Amino acid sequence: MRSHLPSFLVERGPARKGRRDCGAHEWYNHNGVVARCYHCEVGERPWTAPPGA
Ligand SMILES: [Zn+2]
């Protein structure tokens, strides 16, 4: 019998969004109500249109 690890244990993508504050949030309009950060998951705030837009 040959045992191998389930793929979900092996494939851990390195390019995951950080769960910690990236320290340099860049906001994007998530759904017109909430703005989120490109770089991390903790970056979240109410969306307000950028000034001048
Ligand atoms: Zn961030």
Side-chain angles (χ1 to χ4, degrees):
M1 263 179 67
R2 184 176 295 186
S3 64
H4 53 262
L5 292 170
S7 61
F8 71 87
L9 285 178
V10 177
E11 296 175 12
R12 293 195 178 179
R16 276 193 166 182
K17 260 179 144 184
R19 289 185 169 272
R20 292 184 179 179
D21 190 321
C22 66
H25 297 321
E26 276 192 82
W27 305 104
Y28 67 93
N29 182 355
H30 176 63
N31 59 6
V33 179
V34 173
R36 286 190 172 168
C37 175
Y38 286 108
H39 307 295
C40 64
E41 290 186 2
V42 299
E44 192 175 308
R45 72 175 187 184
W47 171 256
T48 53

